[in-house]
Amino acid sequence: MHGEGLRRVEDAYPRVVELAKRRGFFWAAYEIYGGAGGFYVLGDLGVKVKERIADLWRRMFVSPYGFLMIDAPTIAPHVVFKASGHVDNFKDPMAECVTCGRKYRADHLLKDSGISITEGAPISELEGLLNGNGVKCPECGSAKWRAKPFLTMFETRIGPYSDDIGFLRPETAQNMFVEFKRVFEISRGKLPLGIAQIGRGFRNEISPRQAMIRLREFNMMELELFIDPESKCPYVELVSEEELPIVTEDMAARGELRPRLVKVGEALSNGLIVNDWLAYFLVVSKKFLVALGVPEEYQRFHGKPEGERAHYSSQTFDHEVLIPGLGWVEVAGLSYRTDFDLRAHIRHSRRDLSVSIPLQQPVERKIVSWRVRDPKEVGSVLGDKAGRLLEIVEKHKHDENLPEIIKDELSIEANHLLVREERSVVEHTKRIVPHVVEPSYGLERLIVASLAWAYRVKEERVVLSLPPYIAPIQAAVFPLVTKDGLPEKAKMVATTLREEGFEVYYDETGSIGRRYARADEIGVPYAVTIDYQTLRDDTVTIRFRDTWEQRRVEVKELPEELRRLLKQPVFLPHAHFLR
Amino acid sequence: MHGEGLRRVEDAYPRVVELAKRRGFFWAAYEIYGGAGGFYVLGDLGVKVKERIADLWRRMFVSPYGFLMIDAPTIAPHVVFKASGHVDNFKDPMAECVTCGRKYRADHLLKDSGISITEGAPISELEGLLNGNGVKCPECGSAKWRAKPFLTMFETRIGPYSDDIGFLRPETAQNMFVEFKRVFEISRGKLPLGIAQIGRGFRNEISPRQAMIRLREFNMMELELFIDPESKCPYVELVSEEELPIVTEDMAARGELRPRLVKVGEALSNGLIVNDWLAYFLVVSKKFLVALGVPEEYQRFHGKPEGERAHYSSQTFDHEVLIPGLGWVEVAGLSYRTDFDLRAHIRHSRRDLSVSIPLQQPVERKIVSWRVRDPKEVGSVLGDKAGRLLEIVEKHKHDENLPEIIKDELSIEANHLLVREERSVVEHTKRIVPHVVEPSYGLERLIVASLAWAYRVKEERVVLSLPPYIAPIQAAVFPLVTKDGLPEKAKMVATTLREEGFEVYYDETGSIGRRYARADEIGVPYAVTIDYQTLRDDTVTIRFRDTWEQRRVEVKELPEELRRLLKQPVFLPHAHFLR
């Protein structure tokens, strides 16, 4: 895919950060006020890359399957995150310097001092390690620490009453759980039902570091797929031969992070992956990152051992990619959340969130009914025990074992007083609380991964070799020179392309070489140049960013040609998924 | 545009609310927890309408002009909204019932009791009116009130320190002001510079009412246009004959809300509109709402008199539209914010946010310089006054009036001791703090306005007659019957259209008439039906939602035909704007 002479560099990440700030992909927010840790701005190019990545994600995770989008509030009442378990579990270990009052992530302080800890270690253990090892406060040098858990949700008050606490969502997922029943009804009541959301997430980090990687406010793309756990994923057989680079939970627990390649079919049959939908979406996730420019060899699915997983998960793979110049970074988490969340909201809301779904095969069921042959007879035979007997019959009238129950409770044989009836019903539906499989992505991290893998150098110049369907600007239009009517013609071409829906920029300043260089640096895949020949035969050159090759096309064919060149990869024929 | 027999209804708004909930455009959030006032969810269809409206907005307000998007944090440190004036001004009058403690908007309580107040009346006056008129508490019936201002920003803490207060932005605009200098540099330093953002806004209403109209969390589209106030809007002459339905500030102050039609040129020349960019964007705004389906006759620009305007504004027109079944609703505010915000951030950040811009005409400027002919001579002539003289010369050396200043201060004639030099410099740039014109839109209100104006009834059926480029689903694909290979062919057609980028849904359940009805109700403009003839000659019918007319086209021409049908209106030729 990449042309001759395009060279990767070791330190892509810091170079991307510099380029991003200079050309406007992203930069630290609130610079004029000295910055605010953990907040970033996407500039114009960043917004456009983000939109294209989000669009590709929807094309790979949502639309082919008929899944549904929602756009729900980022603020939720306290009860939502109490129910979800976040109020009790979404905490980081915080260490406060007793001397100067400065606060840090306790585990980061320890790791920075070379002291190894197990993920999820209790807070008292961390405090002991900090004080026992004489870890110094980076601010004042003292070594006396107090550690406690810190709730990493942003808290606010909704309305004028001080006890109406609300939280900014740490994940978009809870919206899908809380709104599940309504969406299920809207979508005519079928499973699997996917509900997806692209929007802000918030995490009140104690002390954010690592620029765009660890943010306090970020963009997420999440799919909550509601399934019948007894049903099969119809697509998994299409990918059973696909290989996944897996760090198993056991390997992870031993600290072995070099993945081994496992075929999907094998991973499912030997229980490495506990759910077939989860396995399927691991494949989609791999292909998604490949489509963003991250080679398969630099991806891994990091199985999280028990104790390191989020409280709601029964299996989680962190999708990690190597970002050149930075290291391995988690860009997604794929989890099997079971029915944990829906059951939690059932308990807290006291609403029925179970659903009735059609059975594949109707089931015939026998129903037993008991009644008293003659109430008068019961009275005359049993005397003051009669009332008690009638109660028991009413309560257990569908229980096959009613005579034994009566014997246990009243010490009498009552068979001769009872009538047993039996009928059979055919059931076409069953009621279940759906289980959930969740692929969840951090958009900023995907942007960074895409840019870092696209970063190339050629003849001392930077070429941002983004996949064309991810490029923020799709075409540049240049008049060769600024005279003889070339700018006018170029503007007409640019206008036509814009009206056809392309993201185009027009540039007439400086030499044509300089203009190509400016376009290459921000990843414009195609530069259209209007020259003197254009005036004669209405053709233009398309110059390709990666190869610097040029091709002549007719102006009237340009939109169709660009549409063809910019087409997203099709992962599997969509017709497979139409229901 | 609308077909035969499509009938408007008086009560469109409540019907739209019902339809929206049933089919999934929008509904109240957190229903299972009894709801949370002021929070709504956009469902799948709502998300798609929102995206199309946002896309049209960018096509009309941003991309033709080369303006830039950003996507910045919703949380800002305290200083940002202190500087902007929101901490001091973004307040609503709150009335608390002294008996039961319930809290209300003081002005709403009064209006509901038929007591008229002037907008912006002081809080003590409202308290007096409540108590003096015996207004009863809707909760407990008591009539004793305490009123005070309530800050309607959501407050939170950033990080673990309790004094690091942050706010959720009540407008996206402040991001543009705070990041202005960086974006200006990225964009090669030219004015006008437009910075636009689409994202969440938050307003902690005391007691929200009116469903999707008054929300605590909502989506905004804002453009901050940074201009040199001495320059002209180059586009305003293109629209000088356009008529605007204006309620002037004077009319508004007198309570006359029936607009009068004023031509743009006239409104500018007689000072009804104080800035030409503002006038230009009033026209764009009118055309935008027309493109969303709101007829011109049901729009007005409501000039806000002094005292009713936001603290930052020197002129504001609320763009109001009549929503059938609801009334007049503000969907946008267009303001001339002058340099208020940039100067506020200059003061608080102590950063230089002024910019150097090229002058249209270079300016020749004379620079006078004075110096002392000979310091020794000064000493011998003036004695102990010599030091003082040298100080004055240093301080006022470029002041033409230096001799007079000396005379005033020292009561001496010093001309013979001084040398006057004059040189001239040609200035090509000037330094200014840009002024800002802001068009600002509430997306949820635009969605409601579009749906309510699209709502039609035909033969007892609902037809949501949305402009095709706003419709959430662009085409439905139906096999006429579910046999003889028609579903397979239909799925292939649907798949092709999806791969071409269209939003398509496939439906094979129920009669064809029922399927048309389901599609009409959610505004699908084109239904493609695959029938037996399709198998013979590869043609399909396109059935038009509004006219129920059918037209036969070849399958291979379908994408091109749909692209043509779905094209957005072009407001003005884009080539006008290319720079």
Side-chain angles (χ1 to χ4, degrees):
Chain A
M1 156 178 169
H2 296 294
E4 292 289 302
L6 286 186
R7 195 162 49 76
R8 283 191 186 146
V9 292
E10 290 289 309
D11 56 341
Y13 175 70
R15 285 170 175 239
V16 159
V17 170
E18 182 278 326
L19 173 69
K21 185 169 174 177
R22 182 164 48 78
R23 297 299 304 270
F25 286 92
F26 57 81
W27 61 87
Y30 306 120
E31 280 173 321
I32 66 168
Y33 287 108
F39 294 98
Y40 261 67
V41 178
L42 296 180
D44 190 64
L45 297 176
V47 169
K48 286 166 181 155
V49 172
K50 172 190 149 187
E51 288 169 348
R52 298 208 194 285
I53 292 177
D55 189 48
L56 183 64
W57 186 80
R58 284 167 72 166
R59 290 284 202 129
M60 292 185 76
F61 288 83
V62 184
S63 50
Y65 311 93
F67 296 159
L68 302 174
M69 302 294 299
I70 65 170
D71 188 14
T74 59
I75 298 178
H78 184 276
V79 62
V80 170
F81 288 106
K82 179 66 186 172
S84 72
H86 284 82
V87 168
D88 297 319
N89 293 295
F90 200 69
K91 293 173 179 174
D92 277 344
M94 179 170 73
E96 182 176 1
C97 170
V98 174
T99 310
C100 74
R102 196 81 203 153
K103 292 163 181 174
Y104 306 89
R105 273 281 292 263
D107 50 341
H108 291 176
L109 274 180
L110 287 164
K111 279 180 198 159
D112 291 351
S113 306
I115 300 159
S116 69
I117 48 165
T118 49
E119 218 171 306
I123 195 84
S124 56
E125 188 182 321
L126 301 181
E127 186 177 279
L129 284 169
L130 284 166
N131 288 318
N133 287 283
V135 173
K136 288 210 170 88
C137 171
E139 187 78 12
C140 75
S142 154
K144 191 151 169 46
W145 298 99
R146 201 164 28 222
K148 61 178 177 186
F150 176 72
L151 183 64
T152 53
M153 285 193 292
F154 284 98
E155 190 180 310
T156 190
R157 299 282 175 288
I158 301 173
Y161 303 99
S162 60
D163 51 350
D164 283 345
I165 291 173
F167 293 107
L168 294 182
R169 64 185 181 198
E171 57 174 10
T172 72
Q174 292 305 321
N175 293 126
M176 283 76 120
F177 301 129
V178 169
E179 309 297 341
F180 162 71
K181 201 65 183 284
R182 160 101 16 236
V183 179
F184 183 78
E185 279 158 19
I186 288 166
S187 70
R188 301 206 254 161
K190 280 190 280 189
L191 291 187
L193 168 65
I195 312 180
Q197 188 170 197
I198 300 177
R200 292 293 163 96
F202 301 85
R203 199 183 159 109
N204 200 7
E205 298 281 350
I206 296 168
S207 52
R209 302 182 290 188
Q210 277 199 302
M212 278 270 283
I213 303 301
R214 191 163 289 277
L215 294 171
R216 282 177 165 147
E217 180 173 347
F218 44 87
N219 289 288
M220 312 182 79
M221 306 190 289
E222 297 194 302
L223 167 65
E224 307 304 314
L225 179 64
F226 296 85
I227 57 170
D228 171 5
E230 289 177 3
S231 75
K232 289 267 153 264
C233 168
Y235 317 122
V236 78
E237 69 198 39
L238 301 171
V239 299
S240 63
E241 292 297 306
E242 284 278 348
E243 285 184 329
L244 294 170
I246 292 186
V247 176
T248 67
E249 293 159 21
D250 288 348
M251 290 163 67
R254 289 194 304 271
E256 283 179 43
L257 297 181
R258 185 188 296 260
R260 63 188 180 88
L261 291 176
V262 188
K263 284 190 178 161
V264 168
E266 186 193 328
L268 279 169
S269 61
N270 66 17
L272 273 185
I273 305 175
V274 299
N275 177 280
D276 56 353
W277 278 102
L278 181 60
Y280 176 72
F281 277 112
L282 288 173
V283 174
V284 180
S285 197
K286 181 186 77 171
K287 290 182 182 285
F288 177 51
L289 266 295
V290 168
L292 294 182
V294 182
E296 253 181 86
E297 317 85 83
Y298 297 97
Q299 301 186 25
R300 69 187 182 201
F301 294 102
H302 182 160
K304 305 304 277 185
E306 177 122 44
E308 293 186 24
R309 290 195 291 267
H311 60 277
Y312 49 72
S313 166
S314 80
Q315 182 167 50
T316 292
F317 289 96
D318 283 353
H319 190 169
E320 298 173 340
V321 302
L322 185 75
I323 294 183
L326 180 62
W328 287 92
V329 168
E330 174 195 347
V331 292
L334 293 102
S335 294
Y336 183 33
R337 296 180 77 135
T338 69
D339 54 0
F340 178 91
D341 300 274
L342 282 183
R343 288 206 180 274
H345 288 297
I346 289 170
R347 274 197 309 280
H348 283 78
S349 69
R350 295 166 198 273
R351 298 293 173 98
D352 178 15
L353 304 183
S354 70
V355 298
S356 173
I357 53 170
L359 284 166
Q360 299 287 61
Q361 298 287 337
V363 169
E364 193 174 335
R365 204 158 63 84
K366 201 174 66 177
I367 297 182
V368 169
S369 294
W370 296 93
R371 61 181 170 82
V372 166
R373 193 199 321 261
D374 178 2
K376 279 194 215 131
E377 182 190 1
V378 172
S380 66
V381 174
L382 293 185
D384 56 359
K385 277 186 179 169
R388 187 77 189 94
L389 180 96
L390 293 177
E391 273 175 36
I392 293 171
V393 172
E394 180 55 30
K395 189 170 168 195
H396 299 279
K397 65 183 170 197
H398 296 305
D399 192 325
E400 182 67 80
N401 302 314
L402 181 65
E404 286 75 41
I405 294 170
I406 293 172
K407 202 167 171 185
D408 285 357
E409 299 251 331
L410 303 180
S411 306
I412 55 169
E413 291 283 350
N415 267 5
H416 60 291
L417 301 172
L418 302 173
V419 177
R420 179 179 181 283
E421 280 165 359
E422 188 178 308
R423 66 198 163 91
S424 76
V425 290
V426 178
E427 294 188 333
H428 295 270
T429 61
K430 62 175 176 179
R431 265 204 110 70
I432 63 160
V433 174
H435 280 220
V436 169
V437 169
E438 172 197 79
S440 165
Y441 294 79
L443 251 165
E444 282 79 1
R445 293 181 180 194
L446 293 175
I447 294 171
V448 170
S450 295
L451 294 184
W453 276 102
Y455 195 95
R456 298 283 195 288
V457 173
K458 178 173 184 170
E459 298 174 12
E460 307 301 301
R461 278 164 48 176
V462 174
V463 178
L464 198 63
S465 184
L466 288 166
Y469 45 86
I470 299 299
I473 308 288
Q474 299 171 313
V477 177
F478 304 144
L480 184 64
V481 293
T482 54
K483 56 183 181 180
D484 301 331
L486 294 186
E488 290 68 22
K489 179 67 185 172
K491 284 181 185 184
M492 277 179 59
V493 170
T495 298
T496 307
L497 292 179
R498 275 194 186 163
E499 283 173 10
E500 290 281 337
F502 297 102
E503 195 66 55
V504 174
Y505 92 76
Y506 172 79
D507 189 359
E508 60 176 42
T509 62
S511 72
I512 190 80
R514 246 188 90 125
R515 282 181 270 161
Y516 284 145
R518 273 203 295 263
D520 288 347
E521 191 184 50
I522 58 167
V524 183
Y526 312 108
V528 174
T529 304
I530 280 72
D531 55 21
Y532 287 101
Q533 190 181 332
T534 310
L535 301 182
R536 291 195 302 272
D537 63 6
D538 219 34
T539 63
V540 293
T541 58
I542 300 183
R543 181 260 197 190
F544 292 76
R545 176 196 63 201
D546 295 343
T547 57
W548 297 5
E549 168 210 346
Q550 306 210 7
R551 189 191 304 166
R552 221 154 175 108
V553 299
E554 289 185 52
V555 168
K556 71 174 193 304
E557 284 169 7
L558 203 48
E560 201 45 44
E561 180 68 11
L562 283 178
R563 241 191 292 281
R564 202 181 57 73
L565 289 167
L566 289 165
K567 203 157 258 184
Q568 294 165 333
V570 175
F571 161 46
L572 281 170
H574 282 214
H576 270 291
F577 308 115
L578 268 173
R579 288 184 298 156
Chain B
M1 158 178 169
H2 295 295
E4 291 289 301
L6 286 186
R7 193 161 52 75
R8 283 193 185 144
V9 292
E10 290 288 309
D11 55 342
Y13 175 71
R15 284 170 176 241
V16 159
V17 170
E18 182 278 326
L19 173 69
K21 185 170 174 177
R22 182 164 47 79
R23 297 299 304 270
F25 286 93
F26 57 79
W27 61 87
Y30 307 120
E31 280 173 321
I32 66 168
Y33 287 108
F39 294 99
Y40 261 67
V41 178
L42 296 180
D44 190 63
L45 297 176
V47 169
K48 285 166 182 156
V49 172
K50 173 190 149 187
E51 288 170 346
R52 298 207 194 287
I53 292 177
D55 189 47
L56 182 64
W57 186 79
R58 284 167 70 167
R59 290 284 202 129
M60 292 186 76
F61 289 84
V62 184
S63 50
Y65 312 92
F67 296 160
L68 302 174
M69 303 293 300
I70 65 168
D71 188 14
T74 59
I75 298 178
H78 183 276
V79 63
V80 170
F81 288 105
K82 180 66 187 172
S84 71
H86 284 81
V87 168
D88 298 319
N89 293 295
F90 200 69
K91 293 174 179 175
D92 278 342
M94 179 170 73
E96 181 175 1
C97 170
V98 174
T99 311
C100 75
R102 197 81 204 154
K103 293 163 179 173
Y104 307 88
R105 272 280 292 263
D107 50 342
H108 291 177
L109 274 180
L110 287 164
K111 279 181 198 157
D112 292 351
S113 305
I115 300 158
S116 69
I117 47 166
T118 49
E119 219 172 305
I123 194 85
S124 56
E125 187 181 321
L126 300 182
E127 187 177 278
L129 284 169
L130 284 166
N131 288 318
N133 288 283
V135 173
K136 289 213 170 87
C137 171
E139 186 79 10
C140 76
S142 155
K144 192 152 167 44
W145 297 99
R146 203 165 26 223
K148 60 178 177 185
F150 176 73
L151 183 65
T152 53
M153 285 194 292
F154 284 98
E155 189 179 310
T156 190
R157 300 281 175 289
I158 301 172
Y161 303 100
S162 60
D163 51 352
D164 282 346
I165 291 174
F167 292 108
L168 295 182
R169 64 186 182 197
E171 57 174 9
T172 72
Q174 292 305 321
N175 293 126
M176 282 76 121
F177 301 129
V178 170
E179 309 297 340
F180 161 71
K181 201 64 183 285
R182 160 100 18 235
V183 178
F184 183 78
E185 279 158 19
I186 288 165
S187 69
R188 303 206 253 160
K190 281 190 279 188
L191 291 187
L193 168 65
I195 312 180
Q197 187 170 199
I198 300 178
R200 291 295 163 94
F202 301 84
R203 198 184 159 110
N204 199 8
E205 298 281 349
I206 295 168
S207 52
R209 302 183 291 188
Q210 278 199 304
M212 278 270 282
I213 303 301
R214 192 162 288 279
L215 294 171
R216 282 178 165 145
E217 181 174 346
F218 43 86
N219 290 288
M220 312 183 79
M221 306 191 288
E222 296 193 302
L223 167 65
E224 307 305 314
L225 178 64
F226 296 85
I227 58 171
D228 172 5
E230 290 177 4
S231 75
K232 289 267 155 265
C233 168
Y235 317 122
V236 78
E237 68 198 40
L238 301 171
V239 299
S240 63
E241 292 298 305
E242 283 279 346
E243 286 183 328
L244 294 171
I246 292 187
V247 176
T248 67
E249 293 160 22
D250 288 347
M251 290 162 66
R254 290 194 302 270
E256 283 179 42
L257 296 180
R258 186 187 296 260
R260 63 188 182 89
L261 292 176
V262 188
K263 284 189 178 161
V264 168
E266 185 194 328
L268 278 169
S269 62
N270 66 16
L272 274 184
I273 304 175
V274 299
N275 177 280
D276 55 354
W277 279 101
L278 181 59
Y280 175 72
F281 277 112
L282 288 173
V283 175
V284 180
S285 198
K286 181 186 77 169
K287 291 183 181 282
F288 177 52
L289 266 293
V290 168
L292 295 182
V294 182
E296 250 180 88
E297 317 87 84
Y298 297 97
Q299 301 186 26
R300 68 185 182 204
F301 294 102
H302 183 159
K304 305 303 276 184
E306 177 122 44
E308 294 187 23
R309 290 197 289 268
H311 60 277
Y312 49 73
S313 167
S314 80
Q315 181 167 51
T316 293
F317 290 96
D318 283 353
H319 190 169
E320 299 173 339
V321 303
L322 185 75
I323 295 183
L326 180 64
W328 287 93
V329 168
E330 174 195 346
V331 293
L334 293 101
S335 295
Y336 183 33
R337 296 180 76 135
T338 69
D339 55 359
F340 178 92
D341 300 274
L342 282 183
R343 289 208 180 273
H345 289 297
I346 290 169
R347 275 197 307 281
H348 282 78
S349 69
R350 295 165 197 276
R351 299 291 174 98
D352 178 15
L353 304 183
S354 70
V355 298
S356 172
I357 53 169
L359 284 166
Q360 299 287 61
Q361 298 287 337
V363 169
E364 193 175 332
R365 204 158 63 82
K366 202 175 64 178
I367 297 182
V368 169
S369 293
W370 295 94
R371 61 182 170 82
V372 165
R373 193 198 322 257
D374 177 1
K376 277 194 216 128
E377 182 189 0
V378 172
S380 66
V381 173
L382 295 185
D384 54 359
K385 277 187 182 170
R388 187 77 190 95
L389 180 97
L390 294 176
E391 272 174 37
I392 294 172
V393 172
E394 180 56 29
K395 190 169 168 194
H396 300 279
K397 65 184 169 196
H398 295 305
D399 193 325
E400 182 68 79
N401 302 314
L402 181 66
E404 287 75 41
I405 294 171
I406 294 171
K407 202 168 171 181
D408 286 356
E409 300 250 330
L410 301 181
S411 306
I412 55 170
E413 291 285 350
N415 268 5
H416 60 291
L417 300 172
L418 302 174
V419 177
R420 179 179 182 282
E421 280 164 2
E422 189 179 308
R423 66 198 162 92
S424 75
V425 290
V426 178
E427 294 188 333
H428 295 269
T429 61
K430 62 176 175 179
R431 266 206 107 70
I432 64 160
V433 174
H435 280 220
V436 169
V437 170
E438 172 198 78
S440 165
Y441 294 79
L443 252 164
E444 281 79 1
R445 294 180 179 196
L446 294 175
I447 293 172
V448 170
S450 295
L451 294 184
W453 276 101
Y455 195 95
R456 297 284 195 287
V457 173
K458 178 172 183 169
E459 299 174 11
E460 308 300 303
R461 278 164 46 176
V462 174
V463 177
L464 199 64
S465 184
L466 288 166
Y469 45 87
I470 299 299
I473 308 288
Q474 300 171 312
V477 177
F478 304 144
L480 184 65
V481 293
T482 54
K483 57 181 182 181
D484 302 331
L486 294 186
E488 290 68 22
K489 179 67 184 172
K491 285 180 183 184
M492 277 179 58
V493 170
T495 299
T496 306
L497 292 179
R498 276 193 184 164
E499 283 172 9
E500 290 281 337
F502 297 102
E503 196 67 55
V504 174
Y505 92 78
Y506 172 80
D507 189 0
E508 60 176 45
T509 63
S511 73
I512 191 81
R514 247 189 90 122
R515 282 180 270 161
Y516 283 145
R518 274 203 295 262
D520 287 346
E521 191 183 50
I522 58 167
V524 183
Y526 311 109
V528 174
T529 303
I530 279 73
D531 55 21
Y532 287 100
Q533 190 180 332
T534 310
L535 302 183
R536 290 196 302 274
D537 64 4
D538 219 34
T539 62
V540 293
T541 59
I542 300 182
R543 180 258 196 192
F544 292 75
R545 176 196 63 201
D546 295 343
T547 56
W548 298 5
E549 167 210 346
Q550 306 210 7
R551 188 192 303 167
R552 219 146 179 112
V553 299
E554 289 184 53
V555 168
K556 70 175 194 302
E557 284 169 6
L558 204 46
E560 202 46 44
E561 179 68 12
L562 283 178
R563 240 189 295 279
R564 202 182 56 73
L565 289 167
L566 289 165
K567 204 158 259 184
Q568 295 165 334
V570 175
F571 161 46
L572 281 170
H574 281 213
H576 269 290
F577 307 116
L578 267 173
R579 288 183 298 156

